[in-house]
Amino acid sequence: IESSDYFICIDEATRKRFISSVNVDIKKIIVLPNPMFVDKIKTYKHTSLDNNKNKIICAIVGTLSNLKGVVKVCQKFINSKNNAIVLYIVGQGPDYNKLIEMSNNNPGKIIVLGEIKYLNKSGFYNAIDILIRGDETFRIGRTVYEALCHNLKVIIPGDRSNIDDDLYLRAFKENVIMYNPIYSDELTKVFDALTSKDKKHDRDTE
């Protein structure tokens, strides 16, 4: 490693973890996000999405596991008294069957779509309003950047100082909603506070 001229990290969080674990000159570290395809024309088609087009459509995507906190997000979503929101689960993983059970027990509020191949190119981001992450700490994945580039709002764990530390998040800070995962009811309060102003298409026409 010490003989390398430069190191490329996919985001600021990765750069920080790299610095804390490897003794290298920080001037050799470059942050270069993965390239992404943004198609604001194509829209993913699904009967359920069409039926809920007047609601605020939230989604959590990726590996459906305890590490990603998907079940916890669903629990907080179920606790919300906001009837204008619906949550879609996209992906596969060890918690899939548990999420199917939660969906069956909360029809119309939580909907499991399963895996969507080539999510970014599918037009799925154009069919939703808000992307959610359920990690226990502040983490930024590729899907967050993809969502922001599609003018979606994102709900992610952390605090506002994390936005200032990330060049790319800072550019979209108006569309970033933070919550502290330490407090058990904070995410539910975030869901309760969502209104039609948080819908992507309403923002696009302002």
Side-chain angles (χ1 to χ4, degrees):
I1 291 179
E2 293 179 357
S3 63
S4 300
D5 294 322
Y6 291 98
F7 305 91
I8 298 176
C9 296
I10 61 172
D11 55 34
E12 186 63 27
T14 303
R15 186 184 80 91
K16 288 182 178 180
R17 289 196 295 271
F18 186 74
I19 291 173
S20 66
S21 59
V22 181
N23 184 24
V24 297
D25 183 353
I26 61 174
K27 293 180 180 179
K28 291 185 176 183
I29 304 174
I30 300 170
V31 177
L32 183 64
N34 288 328
M36 61 188 71
F37 177 83
V38 178
D39 187 343
K40 294 189 176 182
I41 304 300
K42 184 178 180 180
T43 300
Y44 184 78
K45 295 297 182 182
H46 191 280
T47 302
S48 174
L49 287 165
D50 290 340
N51 292 340
N52 284 313
K53 63 183 180 181
N54 292 325
K55 290 193 173 185
I56 304 165
I57 299 178
C58 304
I60 185 166
V61 305
T63 303
L64 309 181
S65 67
N66 183 59
L67 180 64
K68 298 294 185 179
V70 183
V71 170
K72 289 182 180 179
V73 169
C74 289
Q75 290 170 338
K76 306 306 178 187
F77 203 87
I78 292 168
N79 291 338
S80 173
K81 297 179 181 179
N82 190 343
N83 294 322
I85 58 179
V86 59
L87 176 62
Y88 284 83
I89 310 296
V90 176
Q92 289 286 346
D95 285 345
Y96 181 82
N97 290 336
K98 173 64 176 177
L99 293 163
I100 289 290
E101 180 182 346
M102 296 179 80
S103 174
N104 291 339
N105 291 334
N106 296 274
K109 188 151 190 172
I110 296 177
I111 300 165
V112 179
L113 292 181
E115 186 175 9
I116 298 176
K117 290 187 176 181
Y118 309 112
L119 184 70
N120 199 20
K121 292 185 178 181
S122 71
F124 180 74
Y125 291 113
N126 293 328
I128 66 174
D129 303 301
I130 299 171
L131 183 81
I132 305 164
R133 281 190 71 104
D135 309 271
E136 292 186 359
T137 59
F138 173 74
R139 289 181 184 176
I140 297 297
R142 176 187 175 92
T143 54
V144 170
Y145 294 125
E146 289 176 345
L148 290 171
C149 286
H150 281 83
N151 196 29
L152 301 186
K153 287 198 171 183
V154 297
I155 298 174
I156 57 178
D159 58 56
R160 301 302 293 184
S161 65
N162 295 130
I163 296 177
D164 295 331
D165 292 338
D166 188 299
L167 173 64
Y168 302 97
L169 265 190
R170 195 162 64 240
F172 296 96
K173 63 182 180 181
E174 297 302 321
N175 281 349
V176 180
I177 301 172
M178 310 291 289
Y179 70 93
N180 191 333
I182 294 176
Y183 302 108
S184 60
D185 62 343
E186 187 162 327
L187 184 54
T188 298
K189 290 179 179 178
V190 170
F191 293 144
D192 285 340
L194 295 176
T195 70
S196 60
K197 293 181 180 179
D198 296 306
K199 285 186 65 63
K200 173 186 184 298
H201 300 297
D202 289 351
R203 295 197 302 279
D204 285 342
T205 57
E206 286 180 357

